[in-house]
Every structure is written in C-alpha cells, then in structure tokens.
C-alpha cells in the first residue's frame, strides 16, 4: 500500500472511530479521562504501525479493541505507575473532558466508582460485553481468552456490581447463549 493511501485510510479510521475508542477507554478506566486519552493515543500509534497487517486481515476495529484492552490491562505493570501516589486534593483541577460518545449519555459517577472496584480483566469483560455490546466471542478475542472465561468473568463482575449498587435499578443477568438441547 502506498504511504499516502495508507495515511488517508488511517486518518479516515481515526476520524470515524476515535470517539468510540475514547468512550470505551473512559468506561474501562472507570472515568479516568486522562488515562483514557493516553491509552487511546498509544493504541492509535500501534494501529498505525500495524496498519498493513490489520487491513489485510480485515479486522481493524477488532485489532484496535484488543490493543486498547491490552494497553488498559498492562497499564499497571508500567514502572511509572507504581511510583505514583494518589492524593485526595489535586493542586489544580482542569476542566472536565467530554467526548462525543458521552456528551449525549451521561455516565453515572456511582457506576464508575463501582467499576473501579472490579479487577481490570473483569472490568474489561463487563464493559466490552455490556457497554460496547460485543458478543461473547468478540470479547474473548479482545481479551485473548476462551468464551467460557468471558462468561464467568462477566457473571462475577455483574454480581459484584449488584452488591456495590443495591439501591440502583437492577442490573439484568446476561442471557444464556448456550444450546438448551
């Protein structure tokens, strides 16, 4: 693929899908907009470098989704994260970031707090399955695990969210997708 055509295709993808990736990252990070921006930027760099492979396979969205989940899960492993300390009061507070994905639909702060209580892979399974509405197989592909693992992680995550959010509207149980025969 010629560099100009590749750049144009990549730019078109970024214009169409960046807000969706950012929205997914915001929910994955349980409302940490700054971390979400960093994760999406890193994913876009990786995607640009692997553009030829991703387009040949035809799974650009799947590649970006998997790279986002991997970046989210690997975030805690970075040495710079281990050295950071969390404080209650920030020295200055920037204006809250908004994205096109969340401008129309506000995300409940209490829900984001409950999501923060879930382990990263479990949170990723719940978010990809119920927020981005992916199939079990697509979530398994994004997380690099079996569909059974996705189902168990999602079920456990929803159970934990039900415990943490008892006064909220009930979180519906995931429909059974197996064969009943």
């Amino acid at each position: 693929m010629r560099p100009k055509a590749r750049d144009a295709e990549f730019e078109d993808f970024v214009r169409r899908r960046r807000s969706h990736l950012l929205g997914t990252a915001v929910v994955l990070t349980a409302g940490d907009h700054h971390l979400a921006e960093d994760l999406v930027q890193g994913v876009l760099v990786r995607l640009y470098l692997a553009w030829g492979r991703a387009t040949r396979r035809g799974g650009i969205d799947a590649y970006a989704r998997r790279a986002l989940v991997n970046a989210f899960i690997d975030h805690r492993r970075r040495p710079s994260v281990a050295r950071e300390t969390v404080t209650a009061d920030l020295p200055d507070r920037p204006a809250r970031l908004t994205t096109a994905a969340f401008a129309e639909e506000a995300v409940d702060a209490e829900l984001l707090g409950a999501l923060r209580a879930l382990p990263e892979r479990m949170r990723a399974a719940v978010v990809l399955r119920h927020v981005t509405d992916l199939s079990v197989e697509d979530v398994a592909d994004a997380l690099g695990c079996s569909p059974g693992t996705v189902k168990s992680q999602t079920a456990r995550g929803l159970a934990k969210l039900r415990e943490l959010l008892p006064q909220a509207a009930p979180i519906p149980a995931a429909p059974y997708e197996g064969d009943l025969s």
Side-chain angles (χ1 to χ4, degrees):
M1 180 181 301
R2 294 184 341 205
K4 288 186 179 184
R6 172 187 176 174
D7 290 351
E9 287 180 15
F10 180 75
E11 183 178 342
D12 180 56
F13 174 81
V14 171
R15 288 183 193 277
R16 286 183 298 108
R17 301 298 292 166
R18 184 182 181 282
S19 64
H20 178 74
L21 285 171
L22 184 58
T24 301
V26 167
V27 178
L28 277 174
T29 60
D32 187 341
H33 292 275
H34 300 290
L35 176 57
E37 287 276 353
D38 290 346
L39 293 175
V40 169
Q41 189 63 33
V43 165
L44 291 176
V45 168
R46 285 188 208 148
L47 182 60
Y48 180 78
L49 294 173
W51 189 256
R53 280 181 310 209
T55 55
R56 277 194 300 277
R57 292 181 184 162
I60 298 168
D61 285 328
Y63 182 93
R65 194 170 36 247
R66 182 156 189 172
L68 179 61
V69 170
N70 288 342
F72 166 68
I73 291 170
D74 291 342
H75 169 72
R76 296 267 180 226
R77 296 180 188 158
R78 285 189 234 150
S80 64
V81 174
R83 290 189 300 263
E84 292 178 358
T85 50
V86 178
T87 62
D89 296 320
L90 298 176
D92 58 345
R93 298 189 186 265
R96 183 175 174 106
L97 297 177
T98 59
T99 64
F102 290 103
E104 299 170 6
E105 181 179 331
V107 178
D108 186 8
E110 193 173 357
L111 175 61
L112 292 176
L115 283 169
R116 250 183 238 106
L118 299 178
E120 282 84 6
R121 288 186 64 84
M122 187 179 291
R123 186 185 323 160
V126 170
V127 168
L128 291 175
R129 183 76 180 100
H130 294 285
V131 176
T132 62
D133 201 29
L134 294 178
S135 69
V136 171
E137 292 76 21
D138 289 342
V139 174
D141 182 52
L143 292 176
C145 62
S146 70
T149 301
V150 171
K151 291 176 186 178
S152 67
Q153 289 291 302
T154 302
R156 289 181 186 142
L158 291 176
K160 181 73 173 174
L161 288 175
R162 284 186 198 100
E163 288 176 19
L164 296 172
L165 301 168
Q167 72 281 5
I171 300 169
Y176 181 76
E177 295 186 11
D179 185 12
L180 295 176
S181 55

